Structure formats: C-alpha cells, structure tokens
C-alpha cells in the first residue's frame, strides 16, 4: 500500500507542485484498481493506482476520447510515466445505488435511474464515432460472452447488493 501512496504523492506533486493536504483511501470496488481521494483547499481529486497497465491505458484512452466529445466522464488530469497511476476529476461520492438504498423505490430514484440510462445510451451512441476499438481490453466486439459477463456483473453488484427478493431463475432465463 505504501508504494501506491508514494506513487500517487509523487504524481500529484509533479502535477500540482506540492503535496496534497490529505490522502483518503477509498473502498475497493469492481476491479483490482485502488482509488484514493486527494484533498486540496476547496477541491478533491481522485487518484487511481492499477498494476494492470493495459487496463489503465484502455481507461485513459476511452476517457480522453469521450472527453473530447463533451460526454460526462471525468477528465484525466495527469498520468505517471509507467502508466500505473493517474489523477482524474472527482465527481463526489453520491451514487445511484446509495440514493436507492437511502430512499427506496421513489419517483426521484426512478427519474435518476432513467436519466442515468439515457446518459449511458448517449455515451454509447455518440462515443462510438471515431473510437478505436483495438484499445478494448478484452473484446473488440460486444458478443454473447461479453453480454453475459455484464449481465452477471449487474446481478452480483447491483441486484444482490440491494438485498431485495427477486426470482433468480426468471432473471437467468431473461438473460
């Protein structure tokens, strides 16, 4: 962990010219990447450390491509020389799942869910133009295997996280 923090501090210092005021370790989520929130006076930055350089290159390429199209993705602010660490804008820690857990199935949550799906569809249709799919980490084409992987990811990390009853066999049949 200390080597990650050292790499992040070094990158931040080379980008900003000073040390961050505070470094907060964020919980690990759906990948092996580690996230940190760096605190400045009135702002925070997200630092990411990932040992999988190809995955980092893919993420950085996609982020930069979508950013150029004015799509809602975090701006990449700095990348270290070995591409193991990068800094990006911080959009905060509010997520649709957190709102759903706090409010339940309300009209507000439904509106936010609908807005999120519209933004995702927009990202996929506008983001496609000029995208070099050879930067994809696993599959250049989104075929049956990739679709099933995403559907199962949705099941495990969203539906199961809600801890609400649902018919698992019907869901698998739908998949």
């Amino acid at each position: 962990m200390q080597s990650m923090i050292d790499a992040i501090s070094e990158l931040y210092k080379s980008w900003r010219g000073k040390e961050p005021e505070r470094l907060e370790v964020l919980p690990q989520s759906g990948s092996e990447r580690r996230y940190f929130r760096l605190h400045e006076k009135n702002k925070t930055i997200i630092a990411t450390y990932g040992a999988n350089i190809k995955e980092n290159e893919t993420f950085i390429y996609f982020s930069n491509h979508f950013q150029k199209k004015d799509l809602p993705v975090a701006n990449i602010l700095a990348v270290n020389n070995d591409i193991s660490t990068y800094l990006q804008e911080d959009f905060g820690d509010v997520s649709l799942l957190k709102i759903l857990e706090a409010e339940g199935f309300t009209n507000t949550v439904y509106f936010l869910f609908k807005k999120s799906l519209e933004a995702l569809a927009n990202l996929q249709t506008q983001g496609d133009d000029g995208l070099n799919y050879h930067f994809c980490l696993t599959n250049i084409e989104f075929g049956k295997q990739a679709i099933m992987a995403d559907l199962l990811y949705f099941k495990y990390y969203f539906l199961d996280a809600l801890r609400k009853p649902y018919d698992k066999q019907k869901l698998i049949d739908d998949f």
Side-chain angles (χ1 to χ4, degrees):
M1 176 69 78
Q2 189 58 48
S3 63
M4 290 180 214
I5 292 171
D6 291 344
I8 287 163
S9 295
E10 184 178 312
L11 177 60
Y12 183 88
K13 190 173 182 179
S14 72
W15 173 67
R16 205 42 129 200
K18 61 181 181 177
E19 296 284 334
E21 292 178 11
R22 186 166 60 96
L23 184 143
E24 173 187 357
V25 179
L26 298 176
Q28 200 163 359
S29 55
S31 77
E32 293 301 313
R33 289 185 303 269
R34 294 304 312 251
Y35 297 99
F36 304 80
R37 181 167 279 128
L38 307 178
H39 294 263
E40 300 177 340
K41 250 181 201 171
N42 298 318
K43 188 176 180 179
T44 56
I45 303 292
I46 295 296
T48 305
Y49 178 89
N52 185 334
I53 302 305
K54 177 134 174 64
E55 182 178 52
N56 296 345
E57 289 171 335
T58 297
F59 181 84
I60 292 163
Y61 169 77
F62 274 65
S63 294
N64 288 332
H65 174 80
F66 296 149
Q67 185 73 36
K68 288 175 189 168
K69 295 185 167 299
D70 292 322
L71 294 167
V73 296
N75 189 26
I76 303 292
L77 305 169
V79 180
N80 71 352
N81 290 335
D82 69 0
I83 314 174
S84 66
T85 307
Y86 52 93
L87 306 177
Q88 58 187 319
E89 286 179 289
D90 185 358
F91 288 159
D93 61 358
V94 176
S95 69
L96 183 55
L97 180 59
K98 281 185 180 180
I99 295 170
L100 177 62
E101 289 174 336
E103 295 185 22
F105 297 100
T106 65
N107 286 337
T108 301
V109 171
Y110 178 77
F111 171 78
L112 291 172
F113 181 73
K114 184 177 173 185
K115 188 175 173 182
S116 296
L117 286 177
E118 288 170 356
L120 180 59
N122 191 38
L123 182 106
Q124 291 183 353
T125 55
Q126 290 184 19
D128 174 67
D129 185 38
L131 185 71
N132 182 346
Y133 284 94
H134 291 284
F135 276 93
C136 291
L137 189 58
T138 53
N139 300 325
I140 292 173
E141 182 179 331
F142 195 63
K144 182 178 180 179
Q145 187 177 27
I147 291 169
M148 283 304 295
D150 273 7
L151 291 172
L152 290 172
Y153 185 88
F154 166 76
K155 177 203 174 301
Y156 294 125
Y157 292 101
F158 187 76
L159 286 181
D160 291 347
L162 291 175
R163 292 185 170 84
K164 301 280 184 187
Y166 65 93
D167 188 323
K168 290 180 180 153
Q169 186 57 53
K170 282 186 179 179
L171 178 70
I172 298 297
D173 291 345
D174 282 348
F175 286 176

